[in-house]
Amino acid sequence: MGITVFYSPQPDEQSDSSAAYEYAKRTSDLLTKEHGWNIDIHRLCVDSLNSIIACDEVVTHEEKDNTSTISPTCTFIILSCSADGSVDRVIRKILRNLKNCNKSQDEGSPSSPKPNNESIAIALLGHARCDNSANQMKDTIFNYGRKFHKCIEVATTSSEINVTERLEVQVELEGPDEPGG
C-alpha cells in the first residue's frame, strides 16, 4: 500500500517545526512501526494533488483495464488552521484552482471516471489556546479547512476516490496522546 502524507503549516510558521509536520511524522512513525509500510511526507504545494485529482484527464477502456490491478493507496492531508482562521496561502491557491477546474469540467463534456483505489483523509489542526475560544470560534478556525475538504469532495465525485470524513482537533488543547489528539 502506498501512503503519502501532505502537510501544510500555519501562515508564517517554519515548516520543519510546525504542528502539521510533527503530526505527519507521527503518522508515518505509527504506520511504519505497525505495518512496515513506506510512507512519504511532503509539504503541500499547488501541484501536490495533481496526480490524484486530474481536471482534464479522460480514461479509455484500455487504460481502465490496466489500472484495475493497482494496489490501493492512501493520502493523508494535514492542514494547520490558525486561531483566527487563516491558513497557508497554498491552501487558498489550491482552493481557487479546484474551483476553476470544477467550473471548466461543468462547462465541458463529462469525462469518464478515473478508476483507482485511492482514499483521501483530511485532518484539520486548530490552534485555539483555550476551551472557550475553541468552542466559540470553531467555525471561523476551521472555515478554510472545511472549504478545502468540500472542494476535494466535489473534485473527486467523478472518480472512484474515496474522500473520508475530516478530523477536526484543537492541537493546542489536546496533545497527540490525548483521546482526541
Side-chain angles (χ1 to χ4, degrees):
M1 174 177 271
I3 297 177
T4 304
V5 179
F6 291 110
Y7 70 95
S8 175
Q10 295 182 74
D12 302 325
E13 185 179 36
Q14 296 279 342
S15 67
D16 59 345
S17 63
S18 70
Y21 180 67
E22 293 300 320
Y23 274 83
K25 283 192 333 186
R26 187 174 184 85
T27 301
S28 174
D29 293 344
L30 288 171
L31 292 174
T32 301
K33 184 175 150 184
E34 185 78 23
H35 302 286
W37 294 330
N38 184 22
I39 298 168
D40 298 324
I41 299 175
H42 305 284
R43 182 172 178 167
L44 192 64
C45 66
V46 175
D47 298 328
S48 297
L49 304 178
N50 286 348
S51 62
I52 300 168
I53 303 167
C55 292
D56 306 324
E57 193 165 323
V58 176
V59 180
T60 64
H61 293 293
E62 200 171 288
E63 291 172 355
K64 192 181 262 191
D65 293 338
N66 291 339
T67 58
S68 62
T69 59
I70 295 175
S71 65
T73 60
C74 184
T75 302
F76 292 101
I77 302 173
I78 302 172
L79 308 179
S80 274
C81 305
S82 295
D84 65 354
S86 59
V87 292
D88 192 37
R89 69 177 180 220
V90 165
I91 303 301
R92 293 189 302 273
K93 286 181 182 179
I94 291 172
L95 282 171
R96 199 168 34 253
N97 290 348
L98 286 174
K99 286 180 182 179
N100 292 338
C101 175
N102 290 336
K103 285 180 186 175
S104 67
Q105 277 184 344
D106 291 342
E107 294 168 0
S109 62
S111 62
S112 303
K114 180 182 172 186
N116 56 29
N117 296 322
E118 295 272 340
S119 292
I120 299 175
I122 299 174
L124 307 178
L125 308 180
H127 291 273
R129 291 186 174 69
C130 71
D131 284 329
N132 189 35
S133 62
N135 290 331
Q136 290 181 351
M137 299 292 291
K138 180 171 45 173
D139 291 336
T140 301
I141 293 169
F142 295 121
N143 183 36
Y144 270 105
R146 290 173 181 168
K147 286 180 182 178
F148 181 83
H149 180 259
K150 185 67 176 170
C151 279
I152 296 289
E153 278 185 326
V154 169
T156 59
T157 54
S158 64
S159 66
E160 295 178 6
I161 297 175
N162 178 27
V163 180
T164 61
E165 293 296 317
R166 69 182 174 270
L167 169 69
E168 296 178 358
V169 64
Q170 294 289 350
V171 294
E172 301 287 334
L173 303 176
E174 302 170 11
D177 298 325
E178 297 293 322

